Amino acid sequence: MKALKTKSVFLFDFDGTLMRSNAIKRDAFFTTMSDRPDSIDMLRKILDGPNPGDRNSVFRELARRLPDIDPEERVQTYGEISKHAILSAPEVPGAGALLEALHAQGAAAIINSATPQAPLREIVNRLRFTRWVHSVLGGPKSKAENAYQALSELGRKTHDAVVIGDGESDRVCARNLDCDFIAIDSDGNDFAEQPKVLAPDLTTVHHWLQS
């Protein structure tokens, strides 16, 4: 992966890519609804559906099925539960080292996630590697929209970028940008087709950057 040395913008997914937090965030939905056992099967079906969306979409759909649930209240509760859980989650191996190395060489490391932007920034600002992150972008914009915005602000072109992530939305983002994509192996992999480059963690990507 010698081409990594030519890249100046690295667009990282967050959950499952920088933090081992996919399962944590899923579990937080069920913890949020633990007072309503009648909702658990419905919630599981929503989460396992083809496109459950973000936390707002999930709880709006659940409230459609259970009208006595206040989706906004549940979103707030979910946010607090997931925030505390993520802050205690382990980093993906190599995350800090890779971000520090990119910062040292003058590349822009951008977190580009589907998580709503405000709570995402609150979490990242409390993580040790935040000092090496150029910016944090989240929903409701798509990852491709965020990526184009970041590249425009940096005065870079799509060929200057590489997308690093563990999900189909990251692969699609890279395809839309027509830029390189590095997939990270995780419990959140849902690729519609096998990525050309799959790394077990970010330590491997760091090695590629140094090679």
Side-chain angles (χ1 to χ4, degrees), residues 31-165:
T31 303
T32 300
M33 297 306 301
S34 60
D35 64 316
R36 289 293 302 269
D38 59 327
S39 72
I40 300 305
D41 285 343
M42 295 179 192
L43 181 57
R44 184 174 291 109
K45 289 178 181 178
I46 293 169
L47 293 173
D48 291 340
N51 185 25
D54 63 13
R55 64 191 69 182
N56 294 289
S57 298
V58 169
F59 286 112
R60 280 199 301 267
E61 175 59 22
L62 188 60
R64 187 184 69 80
R65 303 182 190 193
L66 294 173
D68 60 322
I69 289 175
D70 182 342
E72 293 183 5
E73 178 184 335
R74 297 292 174 160
V75 166
Q76 288 186 332
T77 301
Y78 172 86
E80 288 301 311
I81 292 171
S82 62
K83 176 178 69 176
H84 291 298
I86 292 170
L87 288 173
S88 62
E91 296 177 6
V92 170
L98 176 58
L99 291 170
E100 184 177 15
L102 292 174
H103 184 266
Q105 74 177 36
I110 296 169
I111 294 177
N112 186 18
S113 171
T115 298
Q117 187 162 280
L120 177 65
R121 286 179 171 175
E122 182 181 357
I123 290 170
V124 174
N125 285 340
R126 295 175 61 180
L127 297 173
R128 73 176 188 92
F129 55 60
T130 187
R131 74 193 86 170
W132 303 311
V133 174
H134 178 272
S135 59
V136 179
L137 303 175
K141 290 185 178 179
S142 71
K143 289 184 176 181
E145 289 175 315
N146 282 337
Y148 279 118
Q149 173 187 325
L151 290 168
S152 176
E153 291 174 355
L154 289 166
R156 298 288 189 270
K157 303 297 184 183
T158 56
H159 64 258
D160 297 316
V162 57
V163 173
I164 301 176

Side-chain angles (χ1 to χ4, degrees), residues 2 61 185 200 207:
K2 291 184 179 180
E61 175 59 22
D185 189 22
H207 290 329

Side-chain angles (χ1 to χ4, degrees), residues 1-2 4-5 10 12 17-18 91-105 128 132 162 164 182-184 197 199-211:
M1 292 294 294
K2 291 184 179 180
L4 285 183
K5 292 184 179 293
F10 290 72
F12 290 88
T17 300
L18 291 171
E91 296 177 6
V92 170
L98 176 58
L99 291 170
E100 184 177 15
L102 292 174
H103 184 266
Q105 74 177 36
R128 73 176 188 92
W132 303 311
V162 57
I164 301 176
I182 297 175
I184 302 299
V197 180
D201 53 36
L202 295 177
T203 298
T204 301
V205 180
H206 189 201
H207 290 329
W208 290 341
L209 183 70
Q210 295 176 313
S211 64

